[in-house]
Amino acid sequence: MLPWTLRSAARRLASATRAAAAASASAAARSPAPATRQDSSLLDHREEPWRGSPVREDVFWPDEQRLSTLRRQHRTKASRDHSGLTRQLLDFQHDTVNEPDGDYDPLGQLKARFMDFKQRNYVENSTKYQNLAEQQTPEFMVVACADSRVCPTSILGLQPGDAFTVRNIANLVPPYEHGASETTAALEFAVNTLKVPNVLVVGHSRCGGIQALMSMKNKKDDSSSRSFIRDWVSLGKSARLSTEAAAGNLNFESQCRHCEKESINSSLLNLLTYPWIEERVKEGTLNLHAGYYNFVDCTFEKWTLVYRPGLEGGSKYAIKNRSTWS
């Protein structure tokens, strides 16, 4: 908002300008002579405040209604923009376009891989893919990291239809009270609609998200700048605090390695904060698993969470079936 002195001056200027404009209009009404080019330009100025006169207060101090209108117009324009792009795709249909040779095409390799997939997988297993086109019944719901080096489909040999998958920074599962996110929506659909029997949280070595988490201080730092990464990884704060308590005497790399697994276990416990997940786990129709992929030496460690809600005294949680694939 402008300082009060500037607002006052602007109002006075606006008032004086309106008075001058009214006087000019009155004089023009008394005179039968046609408007000159200069008179016409003055009239234009009254309709275009950015050209100098008069000063409009609503330009400097838009009220909430005006701001709401501007936001609505922006959303409408954005809607028209993506609708226009979709219309172009529909008009294009299945026509082919000769792709230029010589220049680097980042999608060229993807095209070759897709054509290979179509011939080797889709065509040779057409019945399977036709069935998948009708419905999916995946065995797993996988929560994995978005890191390009950690592709659960490749490292675990998952095929289309095997796993309903969501990937995010640091493979975090927010607690139920966190609210809606792409991860919570995927969990709800996989557990309640697809009825998957297994949820697998996959973490990995040298995770940049965990490094960002471990670099955070107890007090707020760099709060002047917004960081989506910091806001997201802060969901793993309890894993960081546990790591500092258990491995605070180790170097930073070792602390991060400890926190990578601590964070996976934290996500497993967060899964149980969802009422419909806890209910199915207690019924024995849903199992919660963890995996840790070390891409430095290509090993995979896995374990399963045991939940004993009726246990009195001692922990309700335990680990079973731990093993390392190497």
Side-chain angles (χ1 to χ4, degrees), residues 58 61-68:
D58 61 337
W61 307 283
D63 56 20
E64 286 300 321
Q65 183 177 1
R66 179 178 174 83
L67 288 175
S68 177

Side-chain angles (χ1 to χ4, degrees), residues 162-238:
D162 287 348
F164 193 81
T165 305
V166 65
R167 300 176 67 177
N168 62 48
I169 298 295
N171 46 269
L172 296 174
V173 174
Y176 178 77
E177 58 269 20
H178 179 263
S181 70
E182 77 291 338
T183 301
T184 54
L187 284 168
E188 181 178 5
F189 184 76
V191 174
N192 290 343
T193 302
L194 299 179
K195 306 295 183 182
V196 295
N198 300 283
V199 176
L200 172 63
V201 180
V202 181
H204 66 96
S205 58
R206 297 183 179 178
C207 179
I210 295 299
Q211 292 174 8
L213 172 64
M214 291 302 299
S215 298
M216 294 173 61
K217 305 300 180 183
N218 289 327
K219 59 181 180 180
K220 293 184 178 179
D221 52 354
D222 296 330
S223 57
S224 59
S225 61
R226 178 70 182 272
S227 170
F228 294 120
I229 297 175
R230 184 176 61 246
D231 291 348
W232 173 254
V233 300
S234 64
L235 292 170
K237 181 180 178 181
S238 62

Side-chain angles (χ1 to χ4, degrees), residues 50-65:
W50 58 85
R51 295 175 63 176
S53 174
V55 176
R56 289 174 48 189
E57 293 184 22
D58 61 337
V59 173
F60 290 98
W61 307 283
D63 56 20
E64 286 300 321
Q65 183 177 1

